[in-house]
Amino acid sequence: MFRRSLALGAVGDPPSPPWRPPLWARPFASRLGCGGGQGFRQVVFSFTMFGDLFEEDDSSVSHNQYGKGKKLKTKAVEPPPPREFTNLSGIRNQGGTCYLNSLLQTLHFTPEFREALFSLGPEELGSLEDKDKPDAKVRIIPLELQRLFAQLLLLDQEAASTADLTDSFGWTSNEEEKSKPDVNLKDLQNEEEIDDPLMILKTILLQEESNLIPVDQLGQKLLKKIGISWNKKYRKQYGPLRKFLQLHSQTFLLSSDESTVRLLKNSSLQAEPDFQRNDQQIFKTLPSESPGFNGRTSCPHWFDINDSKVQPIKEKDIQQQFQGKESAYMLFYRKSQLQRPPEARGNPRYRVPHHLLSEMDATNIELQTKRAECDSTENNFELHLHLGPHYHFFNGALHPVGSQTESVWDLTFDKRKTLGDLRQSIFQLLEFWEGDMVLSVAKLLPAGLHVYQTLDGDSLTLSEIELADGEDIFVWNGVEVGGIQIPTGSDCEPLLLNVLHLATSSEGEKCQQLIEFPHVFPSNAEVGTVFTSLAIPGGVVLINNTESIGEKNWTTIPKVDLKKTFREQGLRNGSSILIRDSNHDNSLLTKQEKWITSMNEIDWLQVKNLCELESEEEQVRISATVNTVVFDIRIKAIQELKLMKELAENSCLRPIDRNGKLLCPVPDNYTLKEAGLKMGSSLGLCPGRAPTSSQLFLFFAVGSDVQPGTEMEIIVEETLSVRDCLKIMLEKSGLLGDAWHLRKMDWCYEAGEPLCDEDATLKELTICSGDTLLLIEGKLPPLGFLTVPIWWYQPQHPSGHWKSHQDRRNCTPSQGGIWRAISAQGAPGDAHAEVSLHYLGDIDISEDATLMELKSQAMTLPSFSEFVIPSPAFLRAWTVESKRPSRLLRADQQQLKEYKLGRRTEICLEPLQKEENLGPQDVLLRTQMRLPGERAYALPMDMVWDAVRGWTAGSLRQRVADFYSLPVEKIEIAKYFPEKFEWLPISSWNQQITKRKKKKKQDNLQGAPYHLKDGDTIGVKNLLAEDDDDFSTVTDDIGKEKQKQLALGKRKSQEALRVQSSHVFSGAETPARPRGPEASLSIHVGSFR
């Protein structure tokens, strides 16, 4: 039983580690000879340790493809990243190949073995070009191993691939299928792993080119692999697929518009137990071994090789990481007297065969070219330059004088360059330009082109200015266009409005004809200016800024409101204005209003034939008013469709929504107004009677994955009980058994709270016609009982006494196995701050039971037997929210119902070193001491703070100082916000001097901006060791940069959507309904601590 971490000693190192290995570890040592016969034995030993590795295997060669040609396969979309500052190459994990990677790195860093392998030529091994020839004797495995070692030495990439090497072993992706033909998921190692969606999604992405795939295709491939969709298999437990991908941001990277997903490079395929999580190899190299740190090899260095990642590591950190931990490791000894020849020092090309040198050089050139192309693609964006001399100001906006090709130029530019560079490039393009050049952001509106803000700051990059891809830039002198001074800014944005007024006859009198024409007004102009713009003496202004049909939406503007601007009146592009003379009498006014509504009101409904009977017409229009009875419309539709009269007794009308779904039938005795039907709506004439006033028409489906159009329908009495309704739905669905319950679909189209009281009627539970009920597998607990999922919460502490001694993969979790929360999202440190949640099982318990009884019952679960806990008092309970510990449950003798636990509450249990009895004012915090001189923290330690004297900063600082035995004036503390990757220093507000005479409000860390609660991370800095005010870590910098890139991508996508919506909106006949004014809302939430 070996840990995948390898501690390799270098030349001159002692043959044993400076710390004692665990008792259950099985280290082995191989001492290699040097010089003369010993050197020969060393080569033979290196070969024989592989068994029949170098034997011919003709049977496997013909069935596999091994590296066609000599060119290394590189990603077409995005080339692999170059080596980092260590100048060492890692090895990518194919999924479960971390042990192999460790062994390969070990052999690679053994120059005697590596160079002996390189010394074998075509005479001994053959050539890869001849592998497909029937009579050729080609030893594929050593040839691929030579290529891999050459890549590790010479290829400028972060990590090499072992795909060709493992293919030469005969390892194929369908091995599992061959051994287990009844399992759909071919790439997983056992059937239990199918329950882990993280494993399945990783497997799918690893098979895709560049590990990138659209999210929609990911769902389809998942269905193809396991034979069931995401919604049916996992949505109940993990939520929607995109939400699951977002919650596992340490593994998956969603694009800004959430349309594609990429597997992060350092993600491992297997869901491994704790003691196998760090797939690391620790190497110490000398100047003769490798040109690490970019060739600066003045002294030896230790390196931490974690699959693809290679980072320097200090010797004390190695001891701290492995000392006293249950970790197996393999020792590989090399004789200290072995000396490297002078020509090999700092020369990675030493003894590498000539053909491999040529291949690596050619591949490096290809990689450089592809990286340059990728860099150009990622950083170049397109700008649309609108040239001022080719525009004129007309009807409130800018319009091109000539053709579009003359007035608009497309320019591709590097967004990393400055605004000054952009201006200079445009100067060079426009040779005819004279005078000043001003660049302004513009936007195409329905009225024309409008200029917004001017771009300033020539030293700023285009990324810092936040220019979007496809941005419109207006190039002008900043003053006028065609001799006309143009308005700029969002305040005077032009609005394209539809103006209606009565036409004038040839005699100058108003006639009974309404004319309509478009007109542009500045959004900051007064509404009263409409008379001046249209040369109308005066009158009454009516506005219509909604898109509803069939209603009187015209509103008269009072005379006092004519001085308000068009924007203040809520007018937008496409809104309508009616101008009516003020001298018309009431009769004419009535006639005008009727006339106006007749232009917009639709007085018909459309009825489609859905009775599966042939008719001359598929659909007909039926004239109606809001007071028409549904029965009359149905009979008239049957007559006009020329259907059988028998349908009059056995048919109904059902509304059709915009997606084509048939809604609940409309009772015959309802009017259109009572049924909520608008004119112009579509109805379906369907067989079957509509429900009566005492009946309910319900949709129902099996499971929480409801695909459109798959719902079944049923009509039941509203006095029917939930139990009887469940039986009817099960019978209609063809399902057997009683282990089912009903849930009502909520407004998010997800399974809501269960209908617990099975004896209650549907009417009592406010079930209405048109609701959707879901048949969910699993029997509900009796009233007064809770079904609580229990999880095991194992944080890493300085001494983990309750660590499991079993392989957690042997457990069979029924709800998804292990959750992992990487430190980048939950803790400021590195891997030592990692948190795991391990599913144990469900327990049914009464709401009257105490917390202690819940812990005791959880200890009886079969999965709990792998942990050794003396008593329930050695367990700490948390609620689980968003797959993380959330609220601490204290007071073991308190009843569960007093905690106000919902039916969806899940609880995790954390092991303790000693019994704990937290009071109501005790606060449990995770404290971490800052390591001097490093941007990192020590392992977290639990600290209990008695806040009985108040949640003040001074009290907390004093408690932390006492906890670490430091003077209070020599520490600084800060709270960590993992969602922002930020530290907020906690200072004593009471010590601040204020000039106000009013009594200063006492600081409370429970409120803004700290919102301190149980489980929060507090960073501690010892000012005796360092006095800077920086609490951040390298992980925080990486997290912030990722958030910045995501925000930038989101901003670009939103800008693109706004530009697209403006074009769509310009072609719409009516504008969207305006939003009502926002109102403040205060909610008082009591404390449940």
Side-chain angles (χ1 to χ4, degrees):
M1 186 174 188
F2 299 102
R3 183 178 176 87
R4 283 170 292 172
S5 296
L6 306 182
L8 281 87
V11 175
D13 290 339
S16 60
W19 61 92
R20 183 180 299 276
L23 294 178
W24 51 272
R26 304 175 186 174
F28 68 89
S30 299
R31 186 172 296 275
L32 305 181
C34 65
Q38 289 181 338
F40 176 77
R41 286 195 300 274
Q42 173 256 327
V43 174
V44 173
F45 171 77
S46 299
F47 279 20
T48 57
M49 66 184 295
F50 282 96
D52 59 353
L53 176 66
F54 295 92
E55 295 298 326
E56 299 179 27
D57 188 2
D58 296 333
S59 61
S60 63
V61 171
S62 60
H63 298 291
N64 296 281
Q65 299 296 327
Y66 304 106
K68 296 181 178 179
K70 292 186 178 182
K71 294 292 182 182
L72 184 68
K73 298 177 182 177
T74 56
K75 298 181 180 179
V77 178
E78 181 181 349
R83 302 192 181 202
E84 296 184 352
F85 68 98
T86 61
N87 204 27
L88 297 176
S89 175
I91 300 178
R92 284 193 291 274
N93 194 325
Q94 295 188 53
T97 60
C98 39
Y99 286 98
L100 175 65
N101 293 352
S102 300
L103 179 59
L104 291 173
Q105 289 283 20
T106 301
L107 298 175
H108 166 243
F109 278 95
T110 305
E112 290 76 20
F113 174 84
R114 183 182 69 231
E115 291 161 9
L117 178 65
F118 282 151
S119 66
L120 298 177
E123 298 80 8
E124 294 91 345
L125 305 179
S127 176
L128 286 176
E129 286 83 356
D130 301 332
K131 62 183 178 62
D132 294 327
K133 296 180 180 179
D135 298 332
K137 295 183 179 181
V138 180
R139 293 171 172 82
I140 304 295
I141 295 178
L143 288 173
E144 291 295 352
L145 192 59
Q146 283 184 343
R147 293 182 71 247
L148 176 63
F149 283 177
Q151 294 168 15
L152 293 174
L153 286 171
L154 302 173
L155 205 56
D156 185 18
Q157 61 180 2
E158 181 185 48
S161 172
T162 57
D164 292 338
L165 180 63
T166 55
D167 285 348
S168 68
F169 295 165
W171 297 355
T172 59
S173 59
N174 60 351
E175 282 189 16
E176 191 67 20
E177 180 186 20
K178 294 177 182 178
S179 60
K180 294 184 178 181
D182 57 329
V183 178
N184 280 333
L185 189 57
K186 306 181 185 69
D187 301 311
L188 298 182
Q189 295 181 356
N190 53 66
E191 296 181 2
E192 297 175 2
E193 294 174 349
I194 299 179
D195 288 332
D196 187 354
L198 191 63
M199 300 267 304
I200 301 174
L201 296 179
K202 284 183 180 181
T203 303
I204 296 173
L205 283 167
L206 284 170
Q207 296 173 352
E208 297 297 318
E209 185 176 6
S210 303
N211 298 340
L212 178 70
I213 188 175
V215 177
D216 295 336
Q217 293 185 19
L218 180 61
Q220 296 172 4
K221 289 183 178 289
L222 175 75
L223 173 63
K224 183 178 179 181
K225 273 195 173 292
I226 66 176
I228 188 171
S229 68
W230 172 274
N231 289 338
K232 289 183 178 180
K233 178 71 176 176
Y234 303 112
R235 180 163 181 160
K236 176 182 176 182
Q237 180 180 355
Y238 298 100
L241 177 58
R242 282 183 172 85
K243 181 179 179 182
F244 180 85
L245 296 174
Q246 291 172 349
L247 292 175
H248 291 78
S249 58
Q250 71 275 15
T251 304
F252 307 106
L253 178 62
L254 276 171
S255 61
S256 58
D257 58 354
E258 298 184 356
S259 62
T260 59
V261 61
R262 180 191 299 275
L263 183 67
L264 295 180
K265 298 175 182 176
N266 56 352
S267 300
S268 173
L269 177 66
Q270 292 183 326
E272 294 133 348
D274 271 352
F275 60 83
Q276 290 182 346
R277 271 292 173 179
N278 294 326
D279 320 341
Q280 298 171 329
Q281 304 92 41
I282 311 298
F283 290 99
K284 189 171 184 180
T285 64
L286 287 174
S288 60
E289 298 296 329
S290 175
F293 286 99
N294 295 324
R296 297 188 296 271
T297 55
S298 59
C299 60
H301 300 284
W302 283 99
F303 292 95
D304 180 5
I305 302 181
N306 187 356
D307 282 337
S308 299
K309 295 294 182 182
V310 181
Q311 295 178 334
I313 187 173
K314 296 182 179 179
E315 191 166 343
K316 63 177 184 179
D317 294 332
I318 301 175
Q319 298 185 23
Q320 183 179 5
Q321 183 173 356
F322 294 102
Q323 184 176 10
K325 299 293 182 68
E326 298 171 351
S327 58
Y329 53 87
M330 180 174 64
L331 300 181
F332 193 95
Y333 293 108
R334 180 169 173 267
K335 213 169 188 179
S336 61
Q337 289 80 11
L338 293 177
Q339 298 296 327
R340 305 284 291 133
E343 60 271 19
R345 295 181 179 270
N347 181 16
R349 304 171 70 91
Y350 181 70
R351 293 287 182 91
V352 179
H354 179 72
H355 71 281
L356 289 178
L357 290 175
S358 301
E359 179 183 348
M360 297 303 113
D361 292 342
T363 306
N364 279 328
I365 296 175
E366 182 181 354
L367 285 174
Q368 291 177 3
T369 304
K370 288 188 175 182
R371 287 182 186 129
E373 294 174 353
C374 182
D375 181 75
S376 176
T377 303
E378 291 180 353
N379 293 288
N380 286 355
F381 67 157
E382 191 174 72
L383 299 175
H384 306 302
L385 304 180
H386 299 261
L387 309 182
H390 294 278
Y391 275 81
H392 70 286
F393 189 76
F394 172 74
N395 198 16
L398 292 165
H399 300 273
V401 177
S403 64
Q404 187 79 4
T405 56
E406 293 178 353
S407 57
V408 182
W409 290 14
D410 293 334
L411 175 65
T412 301
F413 206 73
D414 191 337
K415 59 186 176 183
R416 295 171 297 183
K417 293 187 177 181
T418 65
L419 178 61
D421 297 333
L422 174 63
R423 196 188 312 274
Q424 185 64 32
S425 298
I426 298 175
F427 261 122
Q428 296 174 359
L429 288 174
L430 307 179
E431 299 178 355
F432 60 85
W433 194 273
E434 295 181 359
D436 296 334
M437 176 184 288
V438 175
L439 305 180
S440 300
V441 176
K443 185 177 179 181
L444 287 170
L445 301 175
L449 186 71
H450 181 68
V451 178
Y452 290 87
Q453 75 273 14
T454 298
L455 299 177
D456 295 321
D458 282 2
S459 61
L460 298 176
T461 65
L462 301 186
S463 296
E464 294 172 337
I465 299 175
E466 297 182 351
L467 284 182
D469 188 16
E471 193 87 72
D472 292 295
I473 303 296
F474 191 64
V475 185
W476 61 314
N477 58 14
V479 180
E480 49 82 24
V481 174
I484 301 176
Q485 188 172 358
I486 64 171
T488 61
S490 58
D491 292 339
C492 57
E493 187 176 283
L495 297 177
L496 182 62
L497 305 178
N498 297 318
V499 180
L500 302 94
H501 69 87
L502 291 174
T504 305
S505 64
S506 58
E507 291 79 10
E509 297 180 354
K510 297 289 183 180
C511 61
Q512 301 299 313
Q513 182 180 0
L514 199 64
I515 62 174
E516 179 180 2
F517 59 91
H519 198 281
V520 177
F521 298 93
S523 57
N524 60 350
E526 296 179 359
V527 177
T529 58
V530 67
F531 301 112
T532 306
S533 301
L534 302 177
I536 298 176
V540 179
V541 178
L542 294 90
I543 62 173
N544 181 0
N545 52 15
T546 66
E547 59 180 4
S548 298
I549 298 177
E551 299 179 1
K552 296 179 179 179
N553 300 308
W554 294 93
T555 304
T556 303
I557 298 180
K559 192 172 183 179
V560 295
D561 289 344
L562 291 177
K563 292 188 176 182
K564 291 185 177 181
T565 65
F566 289 96
R567 177 169 292 171
E568 291 172 344
Q569 289 291 350
L571 293 172
R572 299 181 296 176
N573 288 299
S575 297
S576 299
I577 292 180
L578 172 70
I579 302 174
R580 184 177 54 79
D581 290 345
S582 58
N583 58 357
H584 287 152
D585 56 16
N586 291 334
S587 61
L588 183 57
L589 177 61
T590 304
K591 187 175 182 179
Q592 291 286 72
E593 289 182 346
K594 182 178 180 181
W595 191 9
I596 295 166
T597 57
S598 68
M599 293 185 58
N600 296 299
E601 185 175 1
I602 299 176
D603 57 356
W604 49 264
L605 295 171
Q606 187 168 275
V607 180
K608 296 183 179 180
N609 176 20
L610 301 178
C611 291
E612 300 180 356
L613 297 176
E614 293 185 1
S615 60
E616 295 182 1
E617 301 288 341
E618 292 185 359
Q619 57 189 23
V620 292
R621 286 187 178 182
I622 307 297
S623 299
T625 66
V626 292
N627 295 318
T628 304
V629 180
V630 174
F631 175 79
D632 296 336
I633 297 176
R634 183 167 64 87
I635 298 301
K636 192 172 182 179
I638 293 174
Q639 293 173 352
E640 295 194 12
L641 289 170
K642 297 181 181 180
L643 297 172
M644 296 184 301
K645 295 182 179 180
E646 289 78 4
L647 284 176
E649 300 297 329
N650 190 28
S651 64
C652 62
L653 290 178
R654 298 178 62 178
I656 303 175
D657 67 4
R658 65 181 62 184
N659 297 320
K661 178 183 177 181
L662 286 172
L663 304 181
C664 176
V666 182
D668 280 344
N669 58 340
Y670 277 27
T671 65
L672 297 184
K673 186 175 182 181
E674 292 171 341
L677 295 175
K678 294 184 180 295
M679 293 300 175
S681 301
S682 294
L683 301 174
L685 181 64
C686 303
R689 295 185 178 183
T692 63
S693 58
S694 63
Q695 292 179 326
L696 298 176
F697 181 92
L698 302 175
F699 298 97
F700 71 97
V702 179
S704 58
D705 177 26
V706 182
Q707 302 293 337
T710 61
E711 304 97 331
M712 291 174 277
E713 303 165 354
I714 191 173
I715 296 178
V716 296
E717 296 291 333
E718 62 181 4
T719 56
L720 191 71
S721 67
V722 174
R723 180 180 286 104
D724 294 336
C725 181
L726 176 61
K727 291 180 180 179
I728 295 175
M729 291 181 175
L730 288 174
E731 182 179 352
K732 192 168 182 178
S733 303
L735 299 174
L736 302 176
D738 57 353
W740 297 86
H741 67 275
L742 288 177
R743 291 177 182 260
K744 181 180 176 181
M745 180 182 286
D746 59 18
W747 63 277
C748 294
Y749 298 97
E750 296 180 350
E753 290 290 335
L755 306 183
C756 301
D757 190 356
E758 294 186 344
D759 294 326
T761 64
L762 299 177
K763 183 178 181 180
E764 292 172 345
L765 297 179
T766 65
I767 303 297
C768 305
S769 287
D771 287 345
T772 301
L773 300 182
L774 302 178
L775 288 166
I776 305 298
E777 192 171 5
K779 194 171 182 62
L780 290 174
L783 285 177
F785 281 78
L786 297 172
T787 298
V788 183
I790 303 297
W791 298 81
W792 180 259
Y793 173 34
Q794 182 66 66
Q796 293 194 6
H797 291 282
S799 56
H801 182 68
W802 305 123
K803 198 79 167 182
S804 169
H805 291 273
Q806 296 184 14
D807 189 342
R808 291 183 180 175
R809 288 179 298 178
N810 295 332
C811 303
T812 308
S814 62
Q815 294 191 13
I818 297 175
W819 281 342
R820 288 249 168 222
I822 302 303
S823 59
Q825 293 295 327
D830 296 322
H832 62 263
E834 184 175 333
V835 176
S836 66
L837 286 177
H838 178 74
Y839 177 74
L840 297 179
D842 293 347
I843 62 172
D844 293 330
I845 192 167
S846 171
E847 293 180 335
D848 296 328
T850 63
L851 181 61
M852 178 66 75
E853 292 172 341
L854 181 143
K855 295 178 182 178
S856 301
Q857 189 168 340
M859 293 178 65
T860 63
L861 292 171
S863 300
F864 203 94
S865 59
E866 62 177 298
F867 306 105
V868 182
I869 303 297
S871 70
F874 286 82
L875 292 174
R876 181 188 292 155
W878 303 78
T879 61
V880 177
E881 293 181 9
S882 301
K883 302 181 181 180
R884 285 189 170 278
S886 176
R887 180 161 63 104
L888 178 62
L889 303 181
R890 59 192 77 219
D892 284 344
Q893 301 306 319
Q894 187 169 330
Q895 292 181 326
L896 298 181
K897 62 183 179 182
E898 296 177 10
Y899 290 108
K900 295 179 171 55
L901 302 177
R903 292 189 174 271
R904 296 185 178 183
T905 299
E906 302 183 9
I907 290 179
C908 63
L909 300 177
E910 176 186 357
L912 299 175
Q913 303 297 321
K914 59 182 179 180
E915 295 185 10
E916 181 179 74
N917 185 20
L918 297 177
Q921 295 298 327
D922 289 339
V923 185
L924 178 67
L925 301 173
R926 314 280 192 188
T927 62
Q928 291 186 272
M929 176 62 73
R930 179 90 167 183
L931 298 177
E934 301 181 25
R935 297 186 66 196
Y937 290 85
L939 292 175
M941 301 178 65
D942 289 349
M943 184 193 74
V944 178
W945 170 40
D946 186 359
V948 67
R949 296 184 178 179
W951 290 63
T952 63
S955 175
L956 177 59
R957 286 170 55 85
Q958 185 62 54
R959 177 67 184 99
V960 173
D962 296 340
F963 185 77
Y964 284 98
S965 301
L966 293 171
V968 68
E969 66 273 9
K970 294 300 181 182
I971 66 167
E972 288 292 339
I973 60 176
K975 179 190 170 180
Y976 186 63
F977 292 87
E979 66 280 357
K980 299 180 180 179
F981 299 97
E982 292 180 355
W983 295 85
L984 182 59
I986 300 177
S987 58
S988 181
W989 301 340
N990 289 335
Q991 297 175 359
Q992 298 177 359
I993 301 175
T994 177
K995 295 182 179 179
R996 294 184 178 181
K997 295 182 179 180
K998 295 182 180 180
K999 183 178 179 181
K1000 183 175 178 65
K1001 183 179 179 180
Q1002 189 179 27
D1003 59 315
N1004 190 331
L1005 298 180
Q1006 284 182 298
Y1010 297 102
H1011 303 288
L1012 198 65
K1013 63 183 185 301
D1014 291 309
D1016 281 348
T1017 298
I1018 301 295
V1020 184
K1021 182 175 293 187
N1022 184 0
L1023 298 182
L1024 297 173
E1026 56 181 348
D1027 57 357
D1028 64 311
D1029 55 354
D1030 180 28
F1031 281 86
S1032 64
T1033 65
V1034 176
T1035 304
D1036 298 331
D1037 296 341
I1038 297 174
K1040 285 184 179 180
E1041 182 63 26
K1042 289 182 179 179
Q1043 286 186 339
K1044 183 179 179 181
Q1045 296 299 326
L1046 290 175
L1048 182 60
K1050 184 177 181 181
R1051 191 180 299 111
K1052 288 183 178 180
S1053 62
Q1054 289 176 347
E1055 182 65 21
L1057 288 175
R1058 282 198 296 269
V1059 174
Q1060 181 180 359
S1061 63
S1062 66
H1063 292 299
V1064 174
F1065 189 66
S1066 63
E1069 297 180 358
T1070 55
R1073 181 183 297 273
R1075 296 178 59 184
E1078 295 184 357
S1080 61
L1081 179 64
S1082 299
I1083 302 177
H1084 176 72
V1085 181
S1087 175
F1088 296 104
R1089 294 187 72 250

